Amino acid sequence: MTLQLAPPRKVPGRRTAPSRRMARFDLKGVPYLLVSPYYLLFAVFGVFPLGYTLWVSLHDWELAGDTKFTGLANYGELITDESFWNAVVNTLGMFVVATVPQIVLALLLANALNKRLRGRLLLRLGVLLPLVTSVVAVAVVFSQLYSRDYGLFNWILSWFGVDPITWQNEKWSSWIAISTMIDWRWTGYNAIILLAAMQTIPRDLYEAAAIDGATARTQFWRITVPMLRPTIVFVVFISTIGGLTLFAEPVMFEGNPMMTGGTTGQYQTVAMFIVKSAFRDFEMGYAAAAAWLLFVLILLGTMINYWFTRRIGGAK
């Protein structure tokens, strides 16, 4: 007579070793697996181009031909290049002229759109229309508006006895013309971001302030602006990056592919200088060095603006 042993009974709630490993992987490994595509794409299209551009900047690297390692020679030559510093001044000048009014107007526009208005939805959609307009179309329209002989702005200035201005010939006039193009396109975009942040502010704060006798202006500066500080910092960040990498508007304003930014480089930006060095002069190493200096300039500009906006948001 043979005895058959019954199979071991499974204790409810008790896991085997493989199931415990899978549970641990599901808890600790799956989150990294889910976010890994972003980091892989960032490594391929972000980190690798930065590293390769740095490597190219250390060489005398032409678009076609031999390469020669030169160390920091490109950076030394670039620092003493008057054309590069002219492009830096133009970029910073147009950045200030365009960005400061843009953020102020966006803040005021967002505050107006946050009120109880008729057709509020249509107004909010309307401020985004310039964003979906082609840059080429915007440049063509504004080039006509700033035309010397038949432009609308010169016609308006003629009412006050001002002679026709050739807007492309001087630094200050070309900066103003290009800055208005930028502001027309991006003010509504920033206003919508600020409006979305305004709608998260509790209404109880405004009601309490109104009971205490605070005016609408006081509520705006004492409640709205401090509560919007993180969003204002974000808007300043993206505006800084966009302003310091300015390219499409001045190129379209120039109207030709030479990338010179006018006859004397009066509105050539650093991005235009980089493209000209790489694809007009075929000096890839020199252009790569300029790109890295632009990267450093963006970092410095972002840190300065972050410090400045934090002080404004925390002011009492």
Side-chain angles (χ1 to χ4, degrees), residues 112-130:
L113 293 175
N114 199 34
K115 306 295 183 182
R116 296 182 181 273
L117 301 172
R118 289 187 178 182
R120 185 168 52 179
L121 179 59
L122 293 177
L123 293 174
R124 292 175 179 176
L125 292 176
V127 299
L128 289 177
L129 288 179

mmCIF file with all atom_site columns, all heavy atoms in Angstrom, residues 112-130:
data_model
loop_
_atom_site.group_PDB
_atom_site.id
_atom_site.type_symbol
_atom_site.label_atom_id
_atom_site.label_alt_id
_atom_site.label_comp_id
_atom_site.label_asym_id
_atom_site.label_entity_id
_atom_site.label_seq_id
_atom_site.pdbx_PDB_ins_code
_atom_site.Cartn_x
_atom_site.Cartn_y
_atom_site.Cartn_z
_atom_site.occupancy
_atom_site.B_iso_or_equiv
_atom_site.pdbx_formal_charge
_atom_site.auth_seq_id
_atom_site.auth_comp_id
_atom_site.auth_asym_id
_atom_site.auth_atom_id
_atom_site.pdbx_PDB_model_num
ATOM 1   N N   . ALA A 1 112 ? -7.236  91.869 -17.122 1.00 0.00 ? 112 ALA A N   1
ATOM 2   C CA  . ALA A 1 112 ? -8.485  92.322 -17.748 1.00 0.00 ? 112 ALA A CA  1
ATOM 3   C C   . ALA A 1 112 ? -9.344  91.139 -18.170 1.00 0.00 ? 112 ALA A C   1
ATOM 4   O O   . ALA A 1 112 ? -10.571 91.162 -18.001 1.00 0.00 ? 112 ALA A O   1
ATOM 5   C CB  . ALA A 1 112 ? -8.167  93.210 -18.947 1.00 0.00 ? 112 ALA A CB  1
ATOM 6   N N   . LEU A 1 113 ? -8.737  90.095 -18.728 1.00 0.00 ? 113 LEU A N   1
ATOM 7   C CA  . LEU A 1 113 ? -9.493  88.923 -19.165 1.00 0.00 ? 113 LEU A CA  1
ATOM 8   C C   . LEU A 1 113 ? -10.018 88.102 -17.990 1.00 0.00 ? 113 LEU A C   1
ATOM 9   O O   . LEU A 1 113 ? -10.887 87.243 -18.176 1.00 0.00 ? 113 LEU A O   1
ATOM 10  C CB  . LEU A 1 113 ? -8.619  88.036 -20.051 1.00 0.00 ? 113 LEU A CB  1
ATOM 11  C CG  . LEU A 1 113 ? -8.222  88.622 -21.412 1.00 0.00 ? 113 LEU A CG  1
ATOM 12  C CD1 . LEU A 1 113 ? -7.259  87.698 -22.128 1.00 0.00 ? 113 LEU A CD1 1
ATOM 13  C CD2 . LEU A 1 113 ? -9.455  88.877 -22.265 1.00 0.00 ? 113 LEU A CD2 1
ATOM 14  N N   . ASN A 1 114 ? -9.491  88.358 -16.797 1.00 0.00 ? 114 ASN A N   1
ATOM 15  C CA  . ASN A 1 114 ? -9.971  87.644 -15.612 1.00 0.00 ? 114 ASN A CA  1
ATOM 16  C C   . ASN A 1 114 ? -11.224 88.280 -15.016 1.00 0.00 ? 114 ASN A C   1
ATOM 17  O O   . ASN A 1 114 ? -11.815 87.737 -14.087 1.00 0.00 ? 114 ASN A O   1
ATOM 18  C CB  . ASN A 1 114 ? -8.856  87.612 -14.557 1.00 0.00 ? 114 ASN A CB  1
ATOM 19  C CG  . ASN A 1 114 ? -9.072  86.545 -13.518 1.00 0.00 ? 114 ASN A CG  1
ATOM 20  O OD1 . ASN A 1 114 ? -9.605  85.477 -13.794 1.00 0.00 ? 114 ASN A OD1 1
ATOM 21  N ND2 . ASN A 1 114 ? -8.663  86.829 -12.289 1.00 0.00 ? 114 ASN A ND2 1
ATOM 22  N N   . LYS A 1 115 ? -11.627 89.434 -15.553 1.00 0.00 ? 115 LYS A N   1
ATOM 23  C CA  . LYS A 1 115 ? -12.828 90.102 -15.074 1.00 0.00 ? 115 LYS A CA  1
ATOM 24  C C   . LYS A 1 115 ? -14.069 89.481 -15.715 1.00 0.00 ? 115 LYS A C   1
ATOM 25  O O   . LYS A 1 115 ? -13.996 88.705 -16.655 1.00 0.00 ? 115 LYS A O   1
ATOM 26  C CB  . LYS A 1 115 ? -12.763 91.600 -15.395 1.00 0.00 ? 115 LYS A CB  1
ATOM 27  C CG  . LYS A 1 115 ? -11.517 92.310 -14.895 1.00 0.00 ? 115 LYS A CG  1
ATOM 28  C CD  . LYS A 1 115 ? -11.437 92.338 -13.387 1.00 0.00 ? 115 LYS A CD  1
ATOM 29  C CE  . LYS A 1 115 ? -10.211 93.116 -12.919 1.00 0.00 ? 115 LYS A CE  1
ATOM 30  N NZ  . LYS A 1 115 ? -10.089 93.104 -11.432 1.00 0.00 ? 115 LYS A NZ  1
ATOM 31  N N   . ARG A 1 116 ? -15.222 89.877 -15.204 1.00 0.00 ? 116 ARG A N   1
ATOM 32  C CA  . ARG A 1 116 ? -16.493 89.433 -15.778 1.00 0.00 ? 116 ARG A CA  1
ATOM 33  C C   . ARG A 1 116 ? -16.803 90.299 -16.995 1.00 0.00 ? 116 ARG A C   1
ATOM 34  O O   . ARG A 1 116 ? -17.204 91.456 -16.855 1.00 0.00 ? 116 ARG A O   1
ATOM 35  C CB  . ARG A 1 116 ? -17.615 89.534 -14.749 1.00 0.00 ? 116 ARG A CB  1
ATOM 36  C CG  . ARG A 1 116 ? -17.427 88.608 -13.543 1.00 0.00 ? 116 ARG A CG  1
ATOM 37  C CD  . ARG A 1 116 ? -18.582 88.717 -12.573 1.00 0.00 ? 116 ARG A CD  1
ATOM 38  N NE  . ARG A 1 116 ? -18.402 87.855 -11.419 1.00 0.00 ? 116 ARG A NE  1
ATOM 39  C CZ  . ARG A 1 116 ? -18.770 86.584 -11.361 1.00 0.00 ? 116 ARG A CZ  1
ATOM 40  N NH1 . ARG A 1 116 ? -19.350 86.031 -12.432 1.00 0.00 ? 116 ARG A NH1 1
ATOM 41  N NH2 . ARG A 1 116 ? -18.588 85.856 -10.281 1.00 0.00 ? 116 ARG A NH2 1
ATOM 42  N N   . LEU A 1 117 ? -16.593 89.744 -18.170 1.00 0.00 ? 117 LEU A N   1
ATOM 43  C CA  . LEU A 1 117 ? -16.793 90.471 -19.414 1.00 0.00 ? 117 LEU A CA  1
ATOM 44  C C   . LEU A 1 117 ? -17.720 89.683 -20.324 1.00 0.00 ? 117 LEU A C   1
ATOM 45  O O   . LEU A 1 117 ? -17.764 88.451 -20.273 1.00 0.00 ? 117 LEU A O   1
ATOM 46  C CB  . LEU A 1 117 ? -15.448 90.700 -20.128 1.00 0.00 ? 117 LEU A CB  1
ATOM 47  C CG  . LEU A 1 117 ? -14.369 91.467 -19.367 1.00 0.00 ? 117 LEU A CG  1
ATOM 48  C CD1 . LEU A 1 117 ? -13.059 91.423 -20.142 1.00 0.00 ? 117 LEU A CD1 1
ATOM 49  C CD2 . LEU A 1 117 ? -14.798 92.905 -19.143 1.00 0.00 ? 117 LEU A CD2 1
ATOM 50  N N   . ARG A 1 118 ? -18.449 90.392 -21.170 1.00 0.00 ? 118 ARG A N   1
ATOM 51  C CA  . ARG A 1 118 ? -19.255 89.724 -22.186 1.00 0.00 ? 118 ARG A CA  1
ATOM 52  C C   . ARG A 1 118 ? -18.335 89.214 -23.298 1.00 0.00 ? 118 ARG A C   1
ATOM 53  O O   . ARG A 1 118 ? -17.424 89.904 -23.720 1.00 0.00 ? 118 ARG A O   1
ATOM 54  C CB  . ARG A 1 118 ? -20.291 90.680 -22.766 1.00 0.00 ? 118 ARG A CB  1
ATOM 55  C CG  . ARG A 1 118 ? -21.417 91.032 -21.798 1.00 0.00 ? 118 ARG A CG  1
ATOM 56  C CD  . ARG A 1 118 ? -22.494 91.836 -22.508 1.00 0.00 ? 118 ARG A CD  1
ATOM 57  N NE  . ARG A 1 118 ? -23.605 92.136 -21.621 1.00 0.00 ? 118 ARG A NE  1
ATOM 58  C CZ  . ARG A 1 118 ? -24.709 92.800 -21.991 1.00 0.00 ? 118 ARG A CZ  1
ATOM 59  N NH1 . ARG A 1 118 ? -24.809 93.256 -23.253 1.00 0.00 ? 118 ARG A NH1 1
ATOM 60  N NH2 . ARG A 1 118 ? -25.682 93.012 -21.129 1.00 0.00 ? 118 ARG A NH2 1
ATOM 61  N N   . GLY A 1 119 ? -18.636 88.024 -23.775 1.00 0.00 ? 119 GLY A N   1
ATOM 62  C CA  . GLY A 1 119 ? -17.788 87.442 -24.809 1.00 0.00 ? 119 GLY A CA  1
ATOM 63  C C   . GLY A 1 119 ? -16.391 87.140 -24.319 1.00 0.00 ? 119 GLY A C   1
ATOM 64  O O   . GLY A 1 119 ? -15.428 87.241 -25.077 1.00 0.00 ? 119 GLY A O   1
ATOM 65  N N   . ARG A 1 120 ? -16.291 86.776 -23.046 1.00 0.00 ? 120 ARG A N   1
ATOM 66  C CA  . ARG A 1 120 ? -14.979 86.555 -22.446 1.00 0.00 ? 120 ARG A CA  1
ATOM 67  C C   . ARG A 1 120 ? -14.220 85.426 -23.144 1.00 0.00 ? 120 ARG A C   1
ATOM 68  O O   . ARG A 1 120 ? -13.011 85.516 -23.355 1.00 0.00 ? 120 ARG A O   1
ATOM 69  C CB  . ARG A 1 120 ? -15.154 86.265 -20.956 1.00 0.00 ? 120 ARG A CB  1
ATOM 70  C CG  . ARG A 1 120 ? -13.865 86.127 -20.183 1.00 0.00 ? 120 ARG A CG  1
ATOM 71  C CD  . ARG A 1 120 ? -14.127 86.127 -18.697 1.00 0.00 ? 120 ARG A CD  1
ATOM 72  N NE  . ARG A 1 120 ? -15.135 85.149 -18.302 1.00 0.00 ? 120 ARG A NE  1
ATOM 73  C CZ  . ARG A 1 120 ? -15.520 84.939 -17.046 1.00 0.00 ? 120 ARG A CZ  1
ATOM 74  N NH1 . ARG A 1 120 ? -14.988 85.673 -16.073 1.00 0.00 ? 120 ARG A NH1 1
ATOM 75  N NH2 . ARG A 1 120 ? -16.433 84.034 -16.758 1.00 0.00 ? 120 ARG A NH2 1
ATOM 76  N N   . LEU A 1 121 ? -14.936 84.366 -23.536 1.00 0.00 ? 121 LEU A N   1
ATOM 77  C CA  . LEU A 1 121 ? -14.281 83.241 -24.194 1.00 0.00 ? 121 LEU A CA  1
ATOM 78  C C   . LEU A 1 121 ? -13.711 83.651 -25.550 1.00 0.00 ? 121 LEU A C   1
ATOM 79  O O   . LEU A 1 121 ? -12.588 83.281 -25.905 1.00 0.00 ? 121 LEU A O   1
ATOM 80  C CB  . LEU A 1 121 ? -15.275 82.089 -24.374 1.00 0.00 ? 121 LEU A CB  1
ATOM 81  C CG  . LEU A 1 121 ? -14.732 80.835 -25.080 1.00 0.00 ? 121 LEU A CG  1
ATOM 82  C CD1 . LEU A 1 121 ? -13.549 80.260 -24.310 1.00 0.00 ? 121 LEU A CD1 1
ATOM 83  C CD2 . LEU A 1 121 ? -15.836 79.795 -25.242 1.00 0.00 ? 121 LEU A CD2 1
ATOM 84  N N   . LEU A 1 122 ? -14.465 84.434 -26.313 1.00 0.00 ? 122 LEU A N   1
ATOM 85  C CA  . LEU A 1 122 ? -13.978 84.892 -27.612 1.00 0.00 ? 122 LEU A CA  1
ATOM 86  C C   . LEU A 1 122 ? -12.758 85.800 -27.451 1.00 0.00 ? 122 LEU A C   1
ATOM 87  O O   . LEU A 1 122 ? -11.822 85.737 -28.256 1.00 0.00 ? 122 LEU A O   1
ATOM 88  C CB  . LEU A 1 122 ? -15.093 85.619 -28.365 1.00 0.00 ? 122 LEU A CB  1
ATOM 89  C CG  . LEU A 1 122 ? -16.278 84.752 -28.806 1.00 0.00 ? 122 LEU A CG  1
ATOM 90  C CD1 . LEU A 1 122 ? -17.338 85.621 -29.481 1.00 0.00 ? 122 LEU A CD1 1
ATOM 91  C CD2 . LEU A 1 122 ? -15.812 83.653 -29.757 1.00 0.00 ? 122 LEU A CD2 1
ATOM 92  N N   . LEU A 1 123 ? -12.775 86.643 -26.426 1.00 0.00 ? 123 LEU A N   1
ATOM 93  C CA  . LEU A 1 123 ? -11.630 87.513 -26.184 1.00 0.00 ? 123 LEU A CA  1
ATOM 94  C C   . LEU A 1 123 ? -10.384 86.708 -25.824 1.00 0.00 ? 123 LEU A C   1
ATOM 95  O O   . LEU A 1 123 ? -9.276  87.015 -26.274 1.00 0.00 ? 123 LEU A O   1
ATOM 96  C CB  . LEU A 1 123 ? -11.948 88.512 -25.073 1.00 0.00 ? 123 LEU A CB  1
ATOM 97  C CG  . LEU A 1 123 ? -13.022 89.560 -25.401 1.00 0.00 ? 123 LEU A CG  1
ATOM 98  C CD1 . LEU A 1 123 ? -13.346 90.388 -24.164 1.00 0.00 ? 123 LEU A CD1 1
ATOM 99  C CD2 . LEU A 1 123 ? -12.553 90.460 -26.535 1.00 0.00 ? 123 LEU A CD2 1
ATOM 100 N N   . ARG A 1 124 ? -10.577 85.665 -25.034 1.00 0.00 ? 124 ARG A N   1
ATOM 101 C CA  . ARG A 1 124 ? -9.441  84.837 -24.649 1.00 0.00 ? 124 ARG A CA  1
ATOM 102 C C   . ARG A 1 124 ? -8.886  84.071 -25.842 1.00 0.00 ? 124 ARG A C   1
ATOM 103 O O   . ARG A 1 124 ? -7.668  83.885 -25.960 1.00 0.00 ? 124 ARG A O   1
ATOM 104 C CB  . ARG A 1 124 ? -9.856  83.869 -23.544 1.00 0.00 ? 124 ARG A CB  1
ATOM 105 C CG  . ARG A 1 124 ? -10.169 84.559 -22.224 1.00 0.00 ? 124 ARG A CG  1
ATOM 106 C CD  . ARG A 1 124 ? -10.690 83.584 -21.187 1.00 0.00 ? 124 ARG A CD  1
ATOM 107 N NE  . ARG A 1 124 ? -10.972 84.246 -19.915 1.00 0.00 ? 124 ARG A NE  1
ATOM 108 C CZ  . ARG A 1 124 ? -11.502 83.658 -18.861 1.00 0.00 ? 124 ARG A CZ  1
ATOM 109 N NH1 . ARG A 1 124 ? -11.817 82.358 -18.925 1.00 0.00 ? 124 ARG A NH1 1
ATOM 110 N NH2 . ARG A 1 124 ? -11.733 84.333 -17.749 1.00 0.00 ? 124 ARG A NH2 1
ATOM 111 N N   . LEU A 1 125 ? -9.767  83.606 -26.712 1.00 0.00 ? 125 LEU A N   1
ATOM 112 C CA  . LEU A 1 125 ? -9.294  82.935 -27.920 1.00 0.00 ? 125 LEU A CA  1
ATOM 113 C C   . LEU A 1 125 ? -8.637  83.925 -28.877 1.00 0.00 ? 125 LEU A C   1
ATOM 114 O O   . LEU A 1 125 ? -7.683  83.578 -29.585 1.00 0.00 ? 125 LEU A O   1
ATOM 115 C CB  . LEU A 1 125 ? -10.463 82.230 -28.617 1.00 0.00 ? 125 LEU A CB  1
ATOM 116 C CG  . LEU A 1 125 ? -11.077 81.033 -27.886 1.00 0.00 ? 125 LEU A CG  1
ATOM 117 C CD1 . LEU A 1 125 ? -12.283 80.508 -28.645 1.00 0.00 ? 125 LEU A CD1 1
ATOM 118 C CD2 . LEU A 1 125 ? -10.046 79.923 -27.713 1.00 0.00 ? 125 LEU A CD2 1
ATOM 119 N N   . GLY A 1 126 ? -9.140  85.153 -28.886 1.00 0.00 ? 126 GLY A N   1
ATOM 120 C CA  . GLY A 1 126 ? -8.609  86.151 -29.807 1.00 0.00 ? 126 GLY A CA  1
ATOM 121 C C   . GLY A 1 126 ? -7.168  86.520 -29.547 1.00 0.00 ? 126 GLY A C   1
ATOM 122 O O   . GLY A 1 126 ? -6.419  86.811 -30.485 1.00 0.00 ? 126 GLY A O   1
ATOM 123 N N   . VAL A 1 127 ? -6.760  86.501 -28.274 1.00 0.00 ? 127 VAL A N   1
ATOM 124 C CA  . VAL A 1 127 ? -5.375  86.882 -27.975 1.00 0.00 ? 127 VAL A CA  1
ATOM 125 C C   . VAL A 1 127 ? -4.383  85.827 -28.443 1.00 0.00 ? 127 VAL A C   1
ATOM 126 O O   . VAL A 1 127 ? -3.178  86.096 -28.502 1.00 0.00 ? 127 VAL A O   1
ATOM 127 C CB  . VAL A 1 127 ? -5.191  87.135 -26.461 1.00 0.00 ? 127 VAL A CB  1
ATOM 128 C CG1 . VAL A 1 127 ? -6.075  88.271 -25.986 1.00 0.00 ? 127 VAL A CG1 1
ATOM 129 C CG2 . VAL A 1 127 ? -5.470  85.869 -25.660 1.00 0.00 ? 127 VAL A CG2 1
ATOM 130 N N   . LEU A 1 128 ? -4.879  84.630 -28.798 1.00 0.00 ? 128 LEU A N   1
ATOM 131 C CA  . LEU A 1 128 ? -3.988  83.582 -29.286 1.00 0.00 ? 128 LEU A CA  1
ATOM 132 C C   . LEU A 1 128 ? -3.873  83.566 -30.804 1.00 0.00 ? 128 LEU A C   1
ATOM 133 O O   . LEU A 1 128 ? -3.057  82.814 -31.353 1.00 0.00 ? 128 LEU A O   1
ATOM 134 C CB  . LEU A 1 128 ? -4.480  82.203 -28.808 1.00 0.00 ? 128 LEU A CB  1
ATOM 135 C CG  . LEU A 1 128 ? -4.328  81.907 -27.313 1.00 0.00 ? 128 LEU A CG  1
ATOM 136 C CD1 . LEU A 1 128 ? -4.927  80.557 -26.977 1.00 0.00 ? 128 LEU A CD1 1
ATOM 137 C CD2 . LEU A 1 128 ? -2.866  81.953 -26.898 1.00 0.00 ? 128 LEU A CD2 1
ATOM 138 N N   . LEU A 1 129 ? -4.672  84.365 -31.482 1.00 0.00 ? 129 LEU A N   1
ATOM 139 C CA  . LEU A 1 129 ? -4.616  84.371 -32.943 1.00 0.00 ? 129 LEU A CA  1
ATOM 140 C C   . LEU A 1 129 ? -3.242  84.756 -33.495 1.00 0.00 ? 129 LEU A C   1
ATOM 141 O O   . LEU A 1 129 ? -2.770  84.145 -34.461 1.00 0.00 ? 129 LEU A O   1
ATOM 142 C CB  . LEU A 1 129 ? -5.691  85.305 -33.502 1.00 0.00 ? 129 LEU A CB  1
ATOM 143 C CG  . LEU A 1 129 ? -7.145  84.809 -33.390 1.00 0.00 ? 129 LEU A CG  1
ATOM 144 C CD1 . LEU A 1 129 ? -8.104  85.844 -33.962 1.00 0.00 ? 129 LEU A CD1 1
ATOM 145 C CD2 . LEU A 1 129 ? -7.312  83.477 -34.117 1.00 0.00 ? 129 LEU A CD2 1
ATOM 146 N N   . PRO A 1 130 ? -2.571  85.766 -32.931 1.00 0.00 ? 130 PRO A N   1
ATOM 147 C CA  . PRO A 1 130 ? -1.230  86.075 -33.476 1.00 0.00 ? 130 PRO A CA  1
ATOM 148 C C   . PRO A 1 130 ? -0.249  84.916 -33.369 1.00 0.00 ? 130 PRO A C   1
ATOM 149 O O   . PRO A 1 130 ? 0.675   84.814 -34.185 1.00 0.00 ? 130 PRO A O   1
ATOM 150 C CB  . PRO A 1 130 ? -0.780  87.261 -32.613 1.00 0.00 ? 130 PRO A CB  1
ATOM 151 C CG  . PRO A 1 130 ? -2.037  87.885 -32.125 1.00 0.00 ? 130 PRO A CG  1
ATOM 152 C CD  . PRO A 1 130 ? -2.979  86.746 -31.913 1.00 0.00 ? 130 PRO A CD  1
#
